[in-house]
Amino acid sequence: MIRLGAGRLDRIAAVGAHCDDIAIGAGGTLLTLCLARPGLRVDALVLSGGGTEREEEERAALAAFCPGADLRLTVLKLPDGRMPVHWDEAKAAVEELRGQTDPELVLAPRTDDAHQDHRGLAQLMPTAFRDHLVLGYEIVKWDGDLGRPAAYQPLSTEVAEQKVRLLQEHYPSQRHRPWYDREAFLGLARIRGIECHARYAEAFAVTKLTLNLGN
């Protein structure tokens, strides 16, 4: 399988509808990026959970998932499960994020995610990040919406294990959920690893990608 590099990465952006979405969907990729590029700027936006214990969890978690990075996190207070009726506020937040950074890579939910908050945020991303590489991360859930991804980031065994450990440590409010466990996270990473000839991986959807095979 051909491995395409992303070129120089100085800035990335990551967005999530809820606290823990970014870490679940792309935590291993964040660890891999930040460990390889000390000082990487990471602009993160989360639409809900602001002012609650979930914001405290998210701040501690993303600091751990982005070691050595220049992390700038904004957590808003939009209500969970109501993103479609708060479209204007979400769009304004995405546009404000775009005004603060010009990233080489954007990590966001998938446009075909079954959760309305995830899907709505994903659909907003190309309206503000129109000339950027946007990778749509996946989140395992009851709806059973996992699809056939197009891009993979292989993870070392150490990074995959660290991701699972950090998820368990930093989001105690989510431990009661039946799917929030080591088997689910590591199992999906193992399946995605099989699909890209690695031990573990995270997988992403790509809506649009420009190649530069001449250089």
Side-chain angles (χ1 to χ4, degrees), residues 101-115:
T101 187
D102 187 20
E104 289 88 18
L105 171 65
V106 180
L107 301 170
R110 296 164 25 233
T111 55
D112 59 348
D113 194 297
H115 193 294

Side-chain angles (χ1 to χ4, degrees), residues 72-88:
R72 306 179 186 194
L73 170 62
T74 299
V75 183
L76 302 184
K77 299 180 179 180
L78 300 188
D80 188 351
R82 298 290 185 271
M83 189 270 175
V85 297
H86 291 271
W87 183 269
D88 288 346

Side-chain angles (χ1 to χ4, degrees), residues 111-162:
T111 55
D112 59 348
D113 194 297
H115 193 294
Q116 70 275 12
D117 292 354
H118 301 172
R119 186 173 62 253
L121 177 57
Q123 291 170 345
L124 280 174
M125 297 311 292
T127 70
F129 294 88
R130 301 191 64 81
D131 193 26
H132 299 79
L133 174 60
V134 180
L135 297 182
Y137 56 72
E138 56 184 356
I139 297 178
V140 64
K141 63 177 72 67
W142 175 86
D143 307 81
D145 66 350
L146 297 180
R148 189 172 186 179
Y152 298 85
Q153 171 59 52
L155 304 178
S156 69
T157 298
E158 292 76 15
V159 165
E161 292 281 358
Q162 186 177 2

Side-chain angles (χ1 to χ4, degrees), residues 37-213:
R37 297 172 174 81
L40 177 70
R41 176 168 162 174
V42 180
D43 289 87
L45 169 66
V46 178
L47 296 183
S48 64
T52 70
E53 66 171 346
R54 299 220 60 197
E55 178 176 355
E56 297 176 11
E57 291 178 348
E58 185 73 340
R59 291 192 178 281
L62 291 190
F65 274 103
C66 301
D70 177 9
L71 173 64
R72 306 179 186 194
L73 170 62
T74 299
V75 183
L76 302 184
K77 299 180 179 180
L78 300 188
D80 188 351
R82 298 290 185 271
M83 189 270 175
V85 297
H86 291 271
W87 183 269
D88 288 346
E89 295 160 84
K91 183 173 175 60
V94 169
E95 290 176 344
E96 184 175 349
L97 175 67
R98 175 64 184 92
Q100 296 169 352
T101 187
D102 187 20
E104 289 88 18
L105 171 65
V106 180
L107 301 170
R110 296 164 25 233
T111 55
D112 59 348
D113 194 297
H115 193 294
Q116 70 275 12
D117 292 354
H118 301 172
R119 186 173 62 253
L121 177 57
Q123 291 170 345
L124 280 174
M125 297 311 292
T127 70
F129 294 88
R130 301 191 64 81
D131 193 26
H132 299 79
L133 174 60
V134 180
L135 297 182
Y137 56 72
E138 56 184 356
I139 297 178
V140 64
K141 63 177 72 67
W142 175 86
D143 307 81
D145 66 350
L146 297 180
R148 189 172 186 179
Y152 298 85
Q153 171 59 52
L155 304 178
S156 69
T157 298
E158 292 76 15
V159 165
E161 292 281 358
Q162 186 177 2
K163 173 185 175 179
V164 173
R165 178 176 58 78
L166 292 178
L167 286 172
Q168 295 288 344
E169 286 181 2
H170 287 288
Y171 297 103
S173 67
Q174 302 304 297
R175 291 175 189 157
H176 67 285
R177 299 186 183 280
W179 53 268
Y180 201 93
D181 60 31
R182 172 184 170 82
E183 285 183 313
F185 297 134
L186 209 55
L188 180 58
R190 180 70 185 106
I191 291 170
R192 296 317 189 195
I194 291 170
E195 294 171 350
C196 69
H197 291 175
R199 182 67 184 172
Y200 298 107
E202 285 177 337
F204 301 91
V206 180
T207 301
K208 185 184 290 186
L209 175 68
T210 300
L211 299 175
N212 181 16
L213 300 179

